[in-house]
Amino acid sequence: HAETVRTTQRVVDGVKPEQLDEATPCTEWTVRELLAHMVGVNEVFAAAVRGDDPRATSDDDLLGDDPAAAYRRSVEESVAAWATPDVLTQTLHLPFGHMPAAFAIGLHFIDNLVHRWDLATATGQDHLLNAESAGLALQMCQQNFAALPADQVRGKGKPFGYEVEWPADAPVHERLVAFLGRHPHGH
């Protein structure tokens, strides 16, 4: 988890100010809005791990004048929170429900990894996804989605788009983003 959010920092650092209003594979969000979501997610999970009310996270401009610095602060806050002894034995109280921390850290990992791909694709950077992390994320998504009705998680207004048909022998990062409703070539 810590390696994933810290590696994402390299992509965030590569975003140029003139790219902030560009579109992303998350069709509802610009680069700026995607970055704000990523910072907000880091802060919400950190607050929940600390036992704070995650809904108390500020709705103010999370990025300020320096999106990379805002992301860096949220990463360090998140990494410190997740490093708490026995954290994975807790139940977290998140805005979208209560869940075991051992499950929640997986959600945070997947969210960060996939949004790193979104951000890299939108800004013309290397996504830095390795096969091990992408494979783990894909396996977790496939298991979790199998337990949920598709109409709860996929489609307009839902967390994920419909799965994009993609070859089973394609690189695992492409299969991951296709599974989550993104075209692996960013179209």
Side-chain angles (χ1 to χ4, degrees), residues 52-112:
D52 298 340
D53 182 355
R55 291 171 300 213
T57 299
S58 172
D59 287 337
D60 294 337
D61 178 15
L62 296 175
L63 301 180
D65 294 335
D66 189 346
Y71 184 79
R72 186 173 298 105
R73 282 189 302 275
S74 74
V75 164
E76 293 313 313
E77 181 182 345
S78 174
V79 168
W82 283 114
T84 304
D86 299 320
V87 68
L88 297 181
T89 64
Q90 297 178 25
T91 296
L92 300 187
H93 305 284
L94 293 154
F96 47 87
H98 306 306
M99 64 188 65
F103 181 79
I105 197 170
L107 293 180
H108 191 198
F109 163 75
I110 292 165
D111 187 79
N112 189 279

Side-chain angles (χ1 to χ4, degrees), residues 168-186:
D169 62 347
V172 69
H173 73 274
E174 291 182 3
R175 289 183 284 135
L176 171 64
V177 298
F179 183 80
L180 294 176
R182 289 140 168 94
H183 191 284
H185 294 156

